[in-house]
Amino acid sequence: MNRIWRSSLAALASLAFAFGAQAAEAPASVKIAIVAYTQGGKPVFGGIPGRVIEEGWLASELDKRGIKLDWIALPHAGAGPQINEGFSNNSIDFAVRGDLPSVIGAAGGVPGKLVVPGGNGNNVYLVVPANSPAKSIDDLKGKRIALHRGRPWEFAFSNFLASKGLALTDFKIANLNPQVGAAAVSAGKVDAAVLLNESYLLEDKGVGRIIWSTKQGSNDWRLVSDLWGTDDFIQRHPDVTQLLATAWVKAAWWISQEQNQDAYYQLSSRAGTPESVLRRDDQGDPVAWKDRWAPKSDQQLKAHYQALTRYALDNRLIREDVDIGQSLATRFTNQALIDLHLEDYWPSLKGQLSAR
């Protein structure tokens, strides 16, 4: 009976999407902006986008409808502001955007809906020069630390500081993007840098040493990136939005299976990060591999973004409060889980799907 009820709900939802789709002509293309590396003049995508591209299901489904799939590669430096601008002028339709830039954008009036929540998130690292005597954050008090302000890793680092009774004001913060920050710590121009998994490359080169990472902190501190879409596109083309959400969830499910872990590392290493770095980034992680790829529930999202909003307000990154509940379009994720028969795959989402 439950299966019949769920099937009826799915049919009703599909019918609703079909009626909604009749209100607007199919778009000529779907433009998705992703941070990517460039090799040989061409962008290369890893992670979930890389799997979506490799599988080809989304491109095939859109092609059947006469819709072109456009992937827009963004540089790591300044991706957040570019996405916010693209959403404001409708030059892009969807984007994978970090949590803190999303809060800053929403507070600034940038339109957008969160379609597919990210998984457990990426680790953040604190790196010092290889010859530094510093062994802990206490040894760096009053020292110069490279940190790109307003980017997702700022929230992680600030939470870490707070857990030690410290704040950003206890240090001399150099507002540098990760690439420049990595070079600065390598050359000894700063006493430490807040970086992502490129920290392992610095260790491999013998110019840096990791003294802390979010593997040692709360899971809520991690850098989280979600799939967002513009209000206009989602409202006009809910059927196409559903295809994208389903492709995204399907890719996360595929990656989360342990038998696909090696294939995932090989796929993602094409995007410029050595496979050895990707593997070490996951080693010693307290979150199980399968759970790392589970989309966050609405409850988790609201708690996470409320904490981010408080942080952004306290640090004057925004001037107005942000209610993430108004920006959630996770019904597309829920429908994807139902259509793919993954209702019971990730335990953290069972309650949300049952309530729906």
Side-chain angles (χ1 to χ4, degrees):
M1 179 62 71
N2 287 339
R3 173 64 66 179
I4 295 174
W5 174 242
R6 287 197 296 269
S7 298
S8 299
L9 283 177
L12 286 172
S14 299
L15 186 62
F17 283 137
F19 279 119
Q22 293 175 4
E25 288 187 26
S29 66
V30 178
K31 298 179 285 295
I32 309 173
I34 309 285
V35 171
Y37 290 91
T38 301
Q39 293 181 349
K42 295 182 179 180
V44 184
F45 302 92
I48 289 179
R51 173 58 188 170
V52 170
I53 293 171
E54 182 180 63
E55 184 188 31
W57 179 84
L58 177 61
S60 176
E61 289 299 313
L62 291 175
D63 185 62
K64 293 175 184 177
R65 296 160 174 78
I67 304 171
K68 182 182 178 183
L69 178 57
D70 289 330
W71 296 93
I72 301 173
L74 299 176
H76 280 254
Q82 288 186 54
I83 291 171
N84 289 341
E85 181 179 352
F87 273 18
S88 295
N89 59 27
N90 286 316
S91 61
I92 58 176
D93 304 311
F94 296 92
V96 174
R97 183 172 58 177
D99 47 15
L100 187 53
S102 295
V103 167
I104 293 173
V110 176
K113 293 288 189 294
L114 198 164
V115 179
V116 182
N120 193 67
N122 299 102
N123 284 307
V124 177
Y125 298 85
L126 181 62
V127 185
V128 298
N131 59 358
S132 171
K135 295 182 179 180
S136 70
I137 190 64
D138 293 321
D139 299 328
L140 293 171
K141 191 172 182 180
K143 304 291 186 179
R144 194 164 185 244
I145 297 180
L147 170 66
H148 201 184
R149 299 299 309 274
R151 300 303 299 275
W153 44 88
E154 177 181 339
F155 181 63
F157 182 59
S158 292
N159 274 310
F160 166 56
L161 295 180
S163 73
K164 299 295 183 181
L166 299 169
L168 291 178
T169 52
D170 291 311
F171 307 87
K172 298 174 182 176
I173 300 299
N175 189 8
L176 304 174
N177 69 47
Q179 290 73 32
V180 178
V185 77
S186 301
K189 300 296 184 181
V190 294
D191 299 291
V194 179
L195 305 173
L196 302 180
N197 61 15
E198 63 264 21
S199 304
Y200 290 106
L201 291 175
L202 300 185
E203 287 198 331
D204 290 344
K205 296 175 182 177
V207 295
R209 178 166 48 86
I210 297 170
I211 64 170
W212 173 82
S213 80
T214 44
K215 296 177 188 179
Q216 303 160 249
S218 170
N219 292 336
D220 292 336
W221 297 356
R222 298 178 188 232
L223 183 164
V224 177
S225 297
D226 306 304
L227 178 65
W228 289 74
T230 64
D231 292 341
D232 180 68
F233 191 97
I234 293 171
Q235 183 177 1
R236 289 168 58 84
H237 309 292
D239 54 334
V240 179
T241 302
Q242 185 61 60
L243 287 175
L244 182 57
T246 300
W248 227 256
V249 172
K250 185 190 293 189
W253 164 78
W254 183 88
I255 295 171
S256 73
Q257 300 173 72
E258 289 191 9
Q259 66 266 31
N260 296 328
Q261 197 167 356
D262 289 340
Y264 159 76
Y265 286 131
Q266 293 171 10
L267 167 68
S268 292
S269 66
R270 300 172 198 162
T273 303
E275 188 174 328
S276 62
V277 169
L278 294 171
R279 289 182 180 276
R280 278 179 288 173
D281 191 24
D282 292 325
Q283 284 176 356
D285 199 300
V287 180
W289 178 257
K290 174 182 174 180
D291 296 334
R292 289 199 64 180
W293 300 95
K296 289 184 180 295
S297 67
D298 287 358
Q299 184 178 1
Q300 290 173 314
L301 286 171
K302 290 175 181 178
H304 181 73
Y305 275 92
Q306 284 172 357
L308 267 171
T309 299
R310 287 194 299 270
Y311 173 80
L313 284 169
D314 292 343
N315 288 270
R316 299 181 180 179
L317 296 174
I318 61 175
R319 295 181 180 180
E320 296 182 6
D321 197 3
V322 174
D323 179 10
I324 189 63
Q326 302 297 318
S327 300
L328 292 183
T330 51
R331 64 186 182 277
F332 294 101
T333 297
N334 294 338
Q335 188 61 50
L337 290 165
I338 292 171
D339 292 344
L340 295 169
H341 305 295
L342 297 175
E343 300 99 320
D344 299 325
Y345 184 71
W346 282 300
S348 61
L349 292 171
K350 287 179 68 175
Q352 179 170 303
L353 288 169
S354 299
R356 185 174 182 277

